[in-house]
Amino acid sequence: MARTQFAPEKSSVKYAIVTGGARGLGLGIVNALLEEKVVERVAVIDRDLAAPPAAIAAQVQGFAADVTDEKQVHGAVEEIVSRLGAHPDVLCNNAGGGDRAWFETGNQPGWDSVETWRRFVDLNLNSVYLVSREVAPRMKSGAAICNTSSVAGLQASPMLAAYAAAKAGVISYSKTLALQLGPAGIRVNAVAPGLIYTKVWQDLGAVLGGGDANARMVFDSVVGQLVPLGREQTAEDIGRAVAWLCSDKALNVTGQVIAVDGGILLGQSRLGEG
């Protein structure tokens, strides 16, 4: 995401920080926060920045940082508050996923390597702590945090053991953080996306299907088997849920996890089809 130069903003301008917001699910969250007028500006923290869509380019500013690196997170947040204001109104810890090689190890019999396990946990769970620890003390009463978990964190997922464990940790930590920050008037919730064809599923589908050409076919097959509503979820679906949780419409909602999964967690295949 190309960095746009902004003049220093007044503290009255509402803005959000979204990690992993340059593309995919994160970009869906950025779009929804702006479309629903939850905030007026968004600061994106991403390791691999990309230009935002033209329609929102004037409202989005990118900051390159690895969310698993404490010093980089601190530097990025320091720069954000110096440009956009001392008190962020919304934080969305969305960065996560994994590299294709990590998913490949999970598809083999036996155990993940310790290194792979640590990388999954570092990216999907530890990053939530690092960014929250840096941002939350700067937030004021009325602010909101929303963390991206996964339905994998709410059910047994043997092939995705490390990823699922990390995402379950996100849910647990979100609830703990809601208690910790409640007295300060800061709400904390989480979303648990279902099946979205982002890079994570492109990589996982390729692993399961034996190549990139089969990734989408595998994904569609899994959707057909697991989603009672019979359709995949989208970045827009998740973005709208996050925007609601971070808006004044959810002023009395904290410590909750909303699964946006088309019914996957009901635990049955599509009704009437087996």
Side-chain angles (χ1 to χ4, degrees):
M1 183 173 293
R3 180 167 297 175
T4 304
Q5 295 299 319
F6 286 105
E9 299 286 348
K10 297 179 181 179
S11 59
S12 60
V13 173
K14 293 190 70 171
Y15 76 94
I17 297 174
V18 179
T19 68
R23 57 186 60 79
L25 179 53
L27 182 57
I29 292 171
V30 171
N31 275 318
L33 290 172
L34 294 171
E35 288 174 3
E36 299 295 328
K37 296 181 169 49
V38 178
V39 295
E40 300 164 77
R41 297 281 189 274
V42 177
V44 166
I45 299 177
D46 205 299
R47 186 176 59 186
D48 301 311
L49 294 172
I56 61 171
Q59 296 171 278
V60 179
Q61 187 170 5
F63 299 83
D66 181 344
V67 292
T68 68
D69 186 302
E70 183 179 358
K71 290 183 178 178
Q72 289 189 39
V73 168
H74 175 75
V77 174
E78 284 282 300
E79 189 174 358
I80 288 169
V81 298
S82 72
R83 291 175 178 269
L84 297 177
H87 305 293
D89 299 279
V90 170
L91 169 63
C92 298
N93 285 303
N94 170 75
D99 291 339
R100 181 175 300 193
W102 307 356
F103 292 114
E104 288 173 345
T105 63
N107 197 35
Q108 304 301 317
W111 300 81
D112 285 318
S113 70
V114 173
E115 179 63 21
T116 295
W117 184 279
R118 285 175 173 160
R119 287 184 174 183
F120 267 119
V121 173
D122 209 22
L123 176 58
N124 292 281
L125 176 58
N126 294 345
S127 65
V128 174
Y129 175 75
L130 290 178
V131 178
S132 297
R133 183 175 182 269
E134 190 66 45
V135 175
R138 305 172 191 266
M139 302 176 104
K140 300 172 86 172
S141 180
I145 297 172
C146 188
N147 300 320
T148 301
S149 180
S150 168
V151 291
L154 288 165
Q155 59 186 5
S157 304
M159 201 192 74
L160 297 172
Y163 175 78
K167 289 301 189 180
V170 170
I171 291 170
S172 176
Y173 182 59
S174 296
K175 294 181 178 183
T176 297
L177 196 59
L179 281 177
Q180 178 183 334
L181 299 179
I186 300 169
R187 299 182 299 106
V188 184
N189 293 288
V191 289
L195 296 173
I196 307 174
Y197 197 64
T198 57
K199 185 179 183 300
V200 170
W201 251 106
Q202 291 170 13
D203 289 344
L204 183 57
V207 170
L208 295 175
D212 291 330
N214 298 323
R216 180 73 208 199
M217 178 186 67
V218 169
F219 175 79
D220 290 341
S221 175
V222 173
V223 169
Q225 293 172 38
L226 298 183
V227 183
L229 287 180
R231 58 175 179 265
E232 67 187 89
Q233 290 74 69
T234 67
E236 291 75 21
D237 293 331
I238 312 306
R240 285 189 290 267
V242 171
W244 180 78
L245 285 169
C246 294
S247 75
D248 289 345
K249 296 176 182 178
L251 278 178
N252 219 26
V253 180
T254 195
Q256 303 303 305
V257 182
I258 294 182
V260 186
D261 67 346
I264 293 172
L265 292 176
L266 297 174
Q268 298 187 63
S269 59
R270 296 173 65 180
L271 296 178
E273 298 185 13

